[in-house]
Amino acid sequence: MTSTPAPFTAGDYQARMERAARAAADAGLAGVLVAPGPDLVWLTGYAPTAITERLTLLVLAAGQDPVLVVPTLEAPDAEKAAGAPALTLRDWTDGKDPYAATAPLLDAAGRFGVSDNAWAMHLLGLQGRLPGTSYVSLTEALPMLRAVKDAAELERLAAAGAAADDTYEKILDVPFAGRRESDVAGDLADLLRQFGHSQVDFTVVGSGPNGANPHHEAGERVIEHGDMVVLDFGGLKHGYGSDTSRTVHVGEPDAEEQRVHDVVREAQEAAFLVVRPGIACQDVDRVARAHITEAGYGDRFIHRTGHGIGVTTHEPPYMVEGEERPLVPGMCFSVEPGVYLPGRFGVRIEDIVTVTEDGGRRFNNTRRELAVVH
């Protein structure tokens, strides 16, 4: 049984909030406004039990103490958050104007980075009180805010990856032929939870022609002998994400199926081997894409090579053409090339990778060869 990592402390959250405020100032912003969601959890440890129309907003700015504006009825829960000792709570009651309570905390002429999932009604409410303010999404303004993980975060991501690996090893033993995709997807979800996931985000099971759709939802198709089956699954363990893909075959594959799988496996390996500090994110994509293109399947690799992962299973940075940002030790992202042949089958192989001081390290280590299932 793996141990549970030590919880993050108020000091950890204070350091994150200070980092966010500094990053905002360096980007020419007056501050950061964070609504309930992944950013708020990462910065404060607070996740409201229900996200409603009532305003909850963390206000961060360099040179001022962090303030969390919360509805009075939710203040007791907010006070219990691990990061609460590092901030000031300002509550407002029903019948009062929450924007009037928040406006004094903001530079009346400032431009603020706002968490992507903030409600438009709240931004418009603030802007109504402070018409001189303007806003930009955090993904646009501070895309790397959560991208570089510390040792404690890497420990959690490694544990999530190991749990996904255990899930894959177990799923190879279940029957595939004669069962619906949704049945195997249910097995995957059960196994992820068995191995410690508190949240299952997706269980893609794409059999036969359905595998040619990269985000196929597991459906009622009955898996048949001779099918290629794409498995892509993940979620959260200890608050951090897993996401891995393997492609299996029901019975022995034919020569073309084996060749396509080999091409994808070789592309994935080549892309992993190029990971190191200083190279551009797009270079990871370029290496995988070049190998698949050389093999004649370039037009069937129809998505980016990877996405960041952390407290969400998809976040910056992205391994895609045009992303020139350099890799930095502590960044974590997927490497997942694929080939998709419409009406026939698809292949995808995916590992979560972190950048080390001199290369890359995988958090998924199950075999990448084409496994035969029954």
Side-chain angles (χ1 to χ4, degrees):
M1 182 68 69
T2 58
S3 60
T4 300
F8 294 119
T9 67
D12 294 326
Y13 291 113
Q14 180 178 0
R16 292 177 184 178
M17 288 188 281
E18 290 174 350
R19 189 204 316 177
R22 287 195 305 271
D26 291 344
L29 299 174
V32 173
L33 308 179
V34 184
D39 290 313
L40 188 64
V41 172
W42 184 77
L43 286 162
T44 70
Y46 177 49
T49 53
I51 298 175
T52 72
E53 73 285 354
R54 293 184 173 95
L55 177 71
T56 295
L57 197 70
L58 175 67
V59 180
L60 301 177
Q64 71 182 51
D65 292 337
V67 178
L68 181 62
V69 178
V70 294
T72 300
L73 76 169
E74 295 175 12
D77 287 337
E79 290 171 349
K80 297 174 185 175
L87 52 78
T88 298
L89 287 178
R90 177 174 292 191
D91 65 322
W92 62 276
T93 57
D94 285 354
K96 303 293 185 181
D97 183 351
Y99 311 115
T102 307
L105 304 172
L106 275 58
D107 178 345
R111 182 168 176 78
F112 292 87
V114 182
S115 55
D116 296 355
N117 53 343
W119 287 19
M121 64 178 283
H122 295 321
L123 288 188
L124 293 171
L126 285 173
Q127 203 161 36
R129 278 278 172 178
L130 300 170
T133 55
S134 60
Y135 308 93
V136 61
S137 77
L138 281 184
T139 290
E140 179 181 344
L142 301 175
M144 295 296 106
L145 184 61
R146 303 194 324 243
V148 178
K149 275 63 178 179
D150 62 25
E153 292 180 293
L154 293 173
E155 178 187 4
R156 286 162 170 78
L157 283 161
D165 282 359
D166 289 339
T167 295
Y168 176 67
E169 295 290 358
K170 288 291 186 181
I171 206 68
L172 294 177
D173 296 331
V174 309
F176 278 71
R179 301 177 71 213
R180 296 171 300 176
E181 293 173 340
S182 57
D183 295 329
V184 177
D187 291 339
L188 286 169
D190 290 344
L191 286 166
L192 284 169
R193 294 189 181 98
Q194 177 183 323
F195 290 115
H197 278 60
S198 59
Q199 176 177 312
V200 175
D201 287 342
F202 48 89
T203 51
V204 172
V205 180
S207 64
N210 289 340
N213 175 1
H215 283 173
H216 170 68
E217 293 282 343
E220 298 307 296
R221 183 182 186 277
V222 175
I223 301 169
E224 302 174 358
H225 186 85
D227 279 348
M228 194 83 91
V229 185
V230 177
L231 306 173
D232 184 352
F233 49 94
L236 300 182
K237 178 175 180 175
H238 305 316
Y240 280 74
S242 69
D243 184 2
T244 190
S245 301
R246 294 290 186 265
T247 302
V248 301
H249 197 275
V250 186
E252 293 298 327
D254 64 28
E256 184 186 17
E257 290 169 330
Q258 184 64 61
R259 177 175 184 269
V260 173
H261 192 278
D262 287 345
V263 166
V264 174
R265 178 175 53 81
E266 291 161 1
Q268 204 264 355
E269 178 70 10
F272 167 70
L273 290 175
V274 81
V275 171
R276 62 182 182 277
I279 73 159
C281 293
Q282 67 181 3
D283 289 340
V284 180
D285 182 85
R286 286 176 173 179
V287 168
R289 203 165 300 277
H291 186 84
I292 289 173
T293 299
E294 184 178 354
Y297 298 101
D299 62 337
R300 305 319 317 157
F301 181 11
I302 56 177
H303 54 73
R304 65 197 175 202
T305 293
H307 57 81
I309 191 168
V311 293
T312 57
T313 49
H314 281 209
E315 62 185 48
Y318 298 102
M319 306 302 113
V320 66
E321 182 66 29
E323 179 51 85
E324 298 178 350
R325 186 172 283 105
L327 298 185
V328 175
M331 282 183 174
C332 299
F333 50 87
S334 65
V335 178
E336 51 176 309
V339 168
Y340 308 93
L341 305 181
R344 301 180 62 204
F345 63 89
V347 175
R348 183 165 63 258
I349 300 172
E350 174 185 15
D351 296 324
I352 298 302
V353 171
T354 186
V355 184
T356 64
E357 293 296 329
D358 57 1
R361 170 191 167 202
R362 284 180 161 115
F363 287 148
N364 296 109
N365 295 288
T366 54
R367 57 191 170 124
R368 296 167 194 89
E369 292 75 20
L370 182 56
V372 173
V373 294
H374 301 287

